[in-house]
Amino acid sequence: MSERKTNGIEMFGENKMKKQLIILCTVLSLAVWGNSPLFSQDGVAGMPGTYLQMGVGARAMAMGNAFTALAKDGTAIYWNPAGLANQDPYQIYFMHSRLFMSTSFDYIAATAPTRRYGNFGLGVLALTSGDFDQRNELNEALGSFSLTNMAFLLSWSKELFADIAFGINYKLVTEKMLGYSGIGHGADIGLKKRLFERVDAGIALTNLISPTVTLASQSEKFPMQFRAGVATSFLQNKLVVSADISKISGWDKTRFNIGAEYQALPNLALRTGLNSDQFAMGIGISFDKIGLDYSNQSVPDLGMNHLIAVNYAFSGFGVGADASPDVFSPTGEQNISKIKLKVRSRGEVSRWTFEILDRQKNVVRNFTQVGELPEQIVWDGRDDNGTLVPDGKFTYHFLVVTSEGQSYESAGSLVSIDTQGPSGTLGMNSEN
């Protein structure tokens, strides 16, 4: 009898200690997440699933999180799943951010377009902390513990009507601390539409079906968030400006975000933005199929929050061209170049234009046709008037429009014309 009573007292003390430890974990986690001015000033510190509101992507973060209408890379899974419908290549995306108090925030995604069934994506978010001291109610050291929150997103998107895309996410969230773990299920939806030429709009409802996670005996339901945005471009698409408005149900005030991106060089983009009252900036560098992005945001009393991301795009839908040979002479033995046209589109080709440009970006030869395009075209080194063009290097611009109104275009180096031939000396050897 006394033994049972003693065990009951011990069990009661153990449960009490566990509850106190859970409270301690919650307080510490809020200290980590609540230190961000984005959350503490807007009154969302302590909100269930706070890490899902932090934002992903170095480009998006540099542009002040104004990305709902702009996202069409691997981060569209997070910002607006409908943006995947506008994605042509396969993509792999990775982001890493080292936060304060030994906390890191990571995001990885893979996306794949299909011709008939829409586009698919898989994304994973992870917020992990360093080791915290674990103590009981007597302030005795019990070791250390860490916090891990993760979200898995399975996304699908398709353009259902002309210029209107729809996307949906299935979301699985997990939380772990002190040996306790919980799982929740939810869903997001998004819409995206081309309003006018070079003007896009997007709407996203995050946690439309809200995940509920239970740790020990305490349950938390993640709140729904509404986002709407618009994006447009100027200066021949070199300058992009976007703006968002968002609201988390029952937790914070309405946020206004704005961002801008300027393509200073063909492979260099400069970005800046305002996320509520926090200034952000960053750059993007592209190398053929690889994109590198960096952003930072000033956090009061904690310094700069740095974020890096890598994006790899390959294959998928698009157009291109290869010339063989890539150096020829219209007056020599090899007097033509055969240009292979590469096209992979979702719909049937309605019309196409292939332009050959000189170093001054002047169009010297134009091939335009309605209907299916040939596998290759032949260029004899003459312009549209039948005159031989001067020696030099030439580039191309290739545009394809499908019967559904989708357009694909690419540009790049094509051929060189050299009528002089290789330089050298002519000598005679004589034997005595």
Side-chain angles (χ1 to χ4, degrees):
M1 186 80 173
S2 59
E3 183 179 355
R4 288 185 180 181
K5 185 176 181 181
T6 302
N7 290 341
I9 294 173
E10 290 176 352
M11 186 176 297
F12 176 79
E14 183 180 357
N15 290 336
K16 180 180 179 182
M17 184 178 69
K18 286 182 179 180
K19 289 182 179 180
Q20 288 176 333
L21 289 175
I22 291 176
I23 293 173
L24 175 63
C25 290
T26 303
V27 172
L28 288 172
S29 64
L30 298 184
V32 173
W33 299 324
N35 272 329
S36 170
L38 171 62
F39 300 133
S40 61
Q41 292 180 13
D42 285 345
V44 298
M47 178 188 71
T50 305
Y51 70 102
L52 293 179
Q53 311 296 337
M54 293 174 64
V56 302
R59 185 186 179 204
M61 301 292 275
M63 297 180 69
N65 286 11
F67 221 58
T68 306
L70 201 57
K72 63 176 182 179
D73 57 9
T75 65
I77 299 173
Y78 173 90
W79 292 107
N80 185 355
L84 287 181
N86 303 123
Q87 187 181 109
D88 292 323
Y90 298 93
Q91 290 195 22
I92 298 174
Y93 190 96
F94 174 74
M95 177 206 81
H96 173 73
S97 177
R98 189 71 175 176
L99 304 176
F100 24 83
M101 295 179 67
S102 300
T103 300
S104 62
F105 186 51
D106 299 285
Y107 174 74
I108 186 170
T111 61
T114 69
R115 185 168 186 173
R116 294 183 179 180
Y117 306 109
N119 290 6
F120 296 87
L122 176 64
V124 180
L125 294 90
L127 180 71
T128 56
S129 73
D131 292 333
F132 295 110
D133 290 334
Q134 180 178 339
R135 296 179 179 273
N136 60 17
E137 67 271 18
L138 300 177
N139 200 31
E140 297 172 339
L142 299 176
S144 62
F145 67 95
S146 61
L147 307 174
T148 302
N149 293 326
M150 299 184 70
F152 301 85
L153 301 117
L154 180 62
S155 185
W156 172 82
S157 180
K158 187 176 177 61
E159 192 170 277
L160 301 179
F161 306 100
D163 293 329
I164 300 179
F166 171 79
I168 186 170
N169 287 335
Y170 161 72
K171 179 185 297 179
L172 171 69
V173 298
T174 67
E175 295 187 359
K176 295 181 180 180
M177 64 179 178
L178 284 177
Y180 293 95
S181 62
I183 296 177
H185 306 270
D188 314 322
I189 64 170
L191 291 172
K192 190 173 180 181
K193 177 175 173 53
R194 171 60 58 90
L195 297 179
F196 311 102
E197 184 179 1
R198 297 193 301 274
V199 178
D200 292 322
I203 295 175
L205 288 174
T206 302
N207 297 332
L208 179 64
I209 298 178
S210 300
T212 300
V213 177
T214 301
L215 289 178
S217 59
Q218 183 177 1
S219 295
E220 294 183 327
K221 185 176 182 180
F222 293 9
M224 185 179 72
Q225 181 185 30
F226 168 81
R227 285 196 304 265
V230 63
T232 186
S233 61
F234 306 93
L235 304 177
Q236 297 179 333
N237 297 326
K238 289 185 177 181
L239 177 62
V240 176
V241 178
S242 60
D244 270 23
I245 181 173
S246 63
K247 169 69 176 167
I248 300 176
S249 177
W251 279 86
D252 71 335
K253 64 183 180 182
T254 301
R255 302 182 195 166
F256 297 93
N257 304 348
I258 188 168
E261 176 185 72
Y262 179 68
Q263 197 74 34
L265 296 172
N267 63 342
L268 175 64
L270 306 177
R271 299 160 184 151
T272 187
L274 195 63
N275 181 3
S276 293
D277 58 349
Q278 298 302 313
F279 177 75
M281 61 185 300
I283 63 172
I285 303 174
S286 59
F287 303 94
D288 192 18
K289 298 179 181 179
I290 299 177
L292 301 176
D293 298 305
Y294 165 80
S295 71
N296 66 56
Q297 180 174 313
S298 177
V299 181
D301 302 324
L302 295 172
M304 301 299 294
N305 177 21
H306 304 276
L307 190 151
I308 59 173
V310 180
N311 183 40
Y312 177 62
F314 60 99
S315 190
F317 298 102
V319 298
D322 284 327
S324 179
D326 56 3
V327 179
F328 75 102
S329 171
T331 59
E333 290 186 8
Q334 186 65 59
N335 57 5
I336 62 170
S337 181
K338 297 179 180 179
I339 304 170
K340 184 178 181 180
L341 304 179
K342 298 181 292 184
V343 176
R344 188 168 184 260
S345 61
R346 288 187 175 88
E348 299 297 327
V349 175
S350 174
R351 56 184 174 86
W352 59 275
T353 297
F354 188 88
E355 298 174 329
I356 301 176
L357 302 86
D358 60 20
R359 284 187 174 180
Q360 289 72 41
K361 303 300 180 183
N362 299 315
V363 177
V364 297
R365 188 74 169 90
N366 180 289
F367 299 87
T368 299
Q369 186 174 314
V370 175
E372 285 290 338
L373 49 78
E375 291 186 2
Q376 68 177 25
I377 56 178
V378 176
W379 189 39
D380 58 4
R382 299 176 183 272
D383 61 19
D384 288 329
N385 297 320
T387 304
L388 288 174
V389 300
D391 288 6
K393 295 182 178 181
F394 296 83
T395 60
Y396 77 91
H397 176 252
F398 189 17
L399 172 65
V400 170
V401 180
T402 68
S403 55
E404 288 82 8
Q406 297 169 326
S407 62
Y408 303 86
E409 60 182 316
S410 67
S413 300
L414 186 63
V415 297
S416 294
I417 291 181
D418 183 4
T419 59
Q420 303 300 317
S423 60
T425 58
L426 179 65
M428 295 180 61
N429 292 326
S430 61
E431 294 183 1
N432 294 329

